[in-house]
Amino acid sequence: LILTGGFVQLLAGFLAFRKYDHLGGAAFLTFSALSADSISGHLVNVGAGRSAGFTAGSIAFLVLNAFLMILASSFNVVLLCMTLAMEILTICFLLFTLENLPLPFEIVMLSIFSIICFYGATASLANSMFGKDLMMMGPPLFTVESSKKDTKEPPPCICPKSHCTSGLRTIAKLLNTGAVCGVPTDTVYALAASCKHPQAIEKVYRIKDRPQEKPICIFISNLDQLRAAAPPISPLLWEFMENVYPGGIGCIIKKGEWLKKLGVGAGYSRVGTQDSIMIRVPDLTVLVHLIDMTGPLAITSANPSGEVDSTHHDMVISRLGHKLEGVLCDGESDEVVASTVVNCTKIDESGITIVREGCIPAGKVMQIFESVKNR
């Protein structure tokens, strides 16, 4: 019986560990080891009389098992019954060693313990195979709830979901009132400010600790917006932009008063450089809809200056959330690096120049340009 119980406990222990029940697995394997020890202890007692070592070991295990009983009561009834039966069985072994226990009583306890172990192992196997509770293990007698759930701190800013229309409206309203928000893009997460509010663009620099000499680009929702502003752009540049927008390529073009027609109001002097501006049309529906609701947005990556880009809204919230009014939550970003930046200010004279290679390889950009130029 002891041998059978030990084998069943060993099986139950492995099943418990496979279900990530570390306490149950440890308890089953511990009892399995004790069963093997009990066999050897009985052999010693039969052949050589009393064993002081076995007696001391039994007393030590009584203390250990009492602790396991307390832990088991927070898991399920079967595990608690098994630890309780093991406690009684250990007492039986101890009394048997002292020759103060009738053999039939020990056999009865071994039988009960084996039945509990067999049921626990069978229930663990069945529930694990079918993914649901086919055989009841019983509820815990008491539960200890995680204090983290009770003390979970609210987010430091407004964090609506991107798939909700109300979420887009919330962020659009914040941006239209001069707030700075974290938004998803088709590359990595970005900080956004309305071009109508130069103080918001200034705030972006302070939030990121961004050097003032580094320009900020603008995002528009489609190329038709740019056409309506009638910038002095050559046919070659129009053709090139039509082939790279929307997507992860930003084009630096010459700056001019036409930006004000585009919707870049008071923030004209705070975007781009004195002579040029980078414009990009993102390939992300959520962000395009947001831009339609706000007008052109001043955009820069949502990370402290010099640090790695943010590829999840949780990164934006944890790193910069306390400085922002809102973060539009869209999960993991599509890319882990920023966009590729191309200087197109002299596209007709000397072609294009790769300023920064990002998610779109430089070779592919040049291939697109050569194809457009040849046409």
Side-chain angles (χ1 to χ4, degrees), residues 188-219:
V188 294
Y189 274 80
L191 298 183
S194 172
C195 291
K196 302 170 186 174
H197 297 278
Q199 74 279 5
I201 302 175
E202 289 288 347
K203 187 178 178 182
V204 170
Y205 278 92
R206 294 195 299 271
I207 289 172
K208 287 194 54 164
D209 292 325
R210 185 178 177 87
Q212 290 289 329
E213 62 271 14
K214 286 190 174 183
I216 288 181
C217 69
I218 63 172
F219 276 27

Side-chain angles (χ1 to χ4, degrees), residues 35 41 50 58 74 79 105 144 151-152 155 168 237 256 263-264 275 280-281 315 365 375:
S35 298
R50 296 179 180 179
S58 297
S74 66
L79 191 58
F105 183 75
V144 180
T151 60
K152 185 177 180 180
L168 274 180
L237 181 52
V264 179
D275 304 315
R280 192 158 84 82
V281 179
M315 292 179 67
V365 177
R375 286 204 301 270

Side-chain angles (χ1 to χ4, degrees), residues 111-131:
S111 300
I112 294 173
F113 182 67
S114 297
I115 291 171
I116 295 174
C117 288
F118 181 79
Y119 177 84
T122 304
S124 295
L125 178 61
N127 296 343
S128 177
M129 286 179 61
F130 294 98

Side-chain angles (χ1 to χ4, degrees), residues 65-88:
N65 195 67
F67 176 70
L68 290 176
M69 286 174 59
I70 297 173
L71 294 179
S73 61
S74 66
F75 278 75
N76 55 62
V77 173
V78 172
L79 191 58
L80 175 61
C81 290
M82 188 183 70
T83 53
L84 180 61
M86 195 66 201
E87 188 82 357
I88 298 173

